[in-house]
């Protein structure tokens, strides 16, 4: 089995925004602005070699993925948008689906799945399984921070999915959060700490 194509997006604007996202003193307003800035850079890189004729479908993984959606739509305003709702059990770290609404058909579309944190990889694999079952053939995963464990799980279950991220952090802690990471992205984005 060949490894997942991991694309480390080494752009100064991505790393500048990442510094703001990692700072626990960053307010929700500035966190949202930094999430938007880094998302624009990551999506631009993920779409670098995309053909211009096929339709693009964007699928944010709820709720944190919504923080990246405006950046994607700024670059690809004609994209169709689907949504996948996954909730991670805090005790087991297992993701369960509570919502899915995808445009059809997906077979002839390039799908860009956006989820800011690739931690254990459980949610990413569940979302990718759902997209595959819905007929998606080409999927790119864009995340703001990844952990080696998440990259490895995606690689094991979906070896053809390209991952775009500016950084693969050191590890997951005992609570399955990325270290050093940047905290709970959704809580920081929406001020629900």
């Amino acid at each position: 089995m060949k490894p997942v194509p991991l694309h480390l997006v080494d752009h100064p604007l991505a790393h500048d925004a990442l510094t703001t996202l990692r700072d626990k003193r960053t307010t929700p307003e500035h966190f949202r602005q930094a999430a938007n800035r880094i998302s624009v850079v990551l999506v631009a890189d993920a779409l670098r070699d995309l053909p211009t004729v096929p339709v693009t479908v964007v699928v944010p993984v709820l709720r944190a993925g919504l923080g990246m959606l405006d950046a994607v739509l700024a670059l690809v305003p004609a994209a169709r948008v689907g949504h996948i709702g996954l909730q991670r059990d805090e005790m087991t770290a297992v993701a369960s689906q509570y919502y899915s609404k995808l445009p059809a058909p997906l077979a002839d579309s390039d799908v860009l799945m956006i989820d800011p944190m690739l931690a254990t990889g459980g949610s990413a694999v569940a979302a990718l399984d759902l997209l595959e079952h819905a007929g998606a053939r080409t999927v790119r995963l864009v995340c703001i921070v990844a952990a080696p464990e998440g990259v490895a799980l995606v690689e094991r279950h979906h070896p053809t999915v390209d991952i775009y991220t500016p950084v693969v952090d050191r590890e997951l802690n005992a609570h399955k959060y990325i270290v050093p990471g940047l905290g709970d992205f959704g809580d920081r984005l929406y001020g629900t700490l």
Side-chain angles (χ1 to χ4, degrees):
M1 178 185 313
K2 73 178 202 172
V4 166
L6 176 66
H7 305 268
L8 288 174
V9 180
D10 190 24
H11 194 287
L13 293 176
H15 289 285
D16 179 64
L18 186 59
T19 299
T20 300
L21 292 171
R22 287 189 193 276
D23 187 343
K24 59 176 115 175
R25 298 168 299 173
T26 300
T27 64
E29 174 189 6
H30 290 109
F31 192 90
R32 283 190 291 273
Q33 291 170 354
N36 187 62
R37 284 189 300 124
I38 197 169
S39 296
V40 167
V41 174
L42 292 173
V43 169
D45 200 71
L47 297 175
R48 175 187 309 263
D49 63 353
L50 196 66
T52 56
V53 176
V55 176
T56 299
V57 175
V58 184
V59 180
V61 177
L62 301 179
R63 114 188 126 143
L66 292 175
M68 301 172 72
L69 183 58
D70 287 344
V72 175
L73 293 176
L75 293 173
V76 190
R80 297 181 299 157
V81 179
H83 295 86
I84 296 175
L86 296 169
Q87 183 169 318
R88 183 172 93 158
D89 182 295
E90 294 302 321
M91 299 302 290
T92 65
V94 174
S96 61
Q97 178 187 327
Y98 64 87
Y99 183 78
S100 175
K101 183 73 172 176
L102 301 171
L106 290 182
D108 295 326
S109 302
D110 292 299
V111 178
L112 192 64
M113 189 177 98
I114 51 176
D115 192 357
M117 308 296 285
L118 177 57
T120 65
S123 294
V125 167
L128 291 165
D129 288 347
L130 194 128
L131 289 169
E132 182 180 276
H133 181 69
R137 290 189 198 144
T138 305
V139 181
R140 297 166 193 226
L141 170 58
V142 178
C143 54
I144 293 173
V145 177
E149 296 89 338
V151 171
L153 194 69
V154 170
E155 179 178 284
R156 215 170 19 257
H157 291 273
H158 293 277
T160 62
V161 171
D162 288 346
I163 301 170
Y164 291 83
T165 184
V167 64
V168 176
D169 275 356
R170 188 174 59 244
E171 63 190 350
L172 296 178
N173 67 15
H175 301 289
K176 306 294 184 200
Y177 283 98
I178 300 172
V179 177
L182 45 81
D184 185 293
F185 195 92
D187 283 343
R188 294 195 64 203
L189 185 67
Y190 296 113
T192 54
L193 293 172

